[in-house]
Amino acid sequence: MFAGEGPIFQQLAAKIADDIVGGTYAEETAVPSATDFAVFHQMNPATASKGVNMLVELGVLYKKRGIGMFVATGARDVLLRQRREEFRAQYMRPLLREALVLDITASELHSMIDDEEQDPA
């Protein structure tokens, strides 16, 4: 399952984050423990813990002592804000730099985006 780029613990954190954003794990609901993730994905428990702890440090997950790990209130919003900023940095800034080099106006760029929305490839 984890054959993508980056360390496995980051891929696990991204998978859990995807599940939160997608609604698989709603706010204030329990998520599997790091041990459960490790067993399910056949990975080292320390690796799974590291992935889960990334989301704890981000404030997306929290632990209820003796009960388990839960999705924090506002977690989806936190993740969406983070992803939007990553989208902006990874896609928008390079796009705008290239548009500037090619003398593409903001109006032309908007038209291109509108065209793509109407007829995605």
Side-chain angles (χ1 to χ4, degrees), residues 5 16 26 47 56 62 76 89 101 105:
E5 292 185 23
I16 298 167
T47 301
V56 170
Y62 69 95
R76 185 173 189 275
V101 169
T105 66

Side-chain angles (χ1 to χ4, degrees), residues 3-31:
E5 292 185 23
I8 293 173
F9 74 91
Q10 289 177 342
Q11 293 180 55
L12 175 61
K15 168 72 171 105
I16 298 167
D18 286 345
D19 288 345
I20 292 169
V21 169
T24 300
Y25 301 125
E27 294 179 357
E28 298 304 322
T29 61
V31 298

Side-chain angles (χ1 to χ4, degrees), residues 95 104-117:
L95 172 78
I104 298 172
T105 66
S107 177
E108 290 172 312
L109 197 53
H110 284 277
S111 291
M112 289 177 180
I113 291 169
D114 290 341
D115 291 346
E116 287 299 317
E117 284 181 332

Side-chain angles (χ1 to χ4, degrees), residues 7 30 41 45 49-50 54 57 62 71 74 84 86 96 105 117:
H41 294 293
S49 289
K50 198 168 179 181
M54 282 183 64
E57 290 171 15
Y62 69 95
V71 178
R84 286 179 177 151
E86 289 170 0
L96 293 173
T105 66
E117 284 181 332

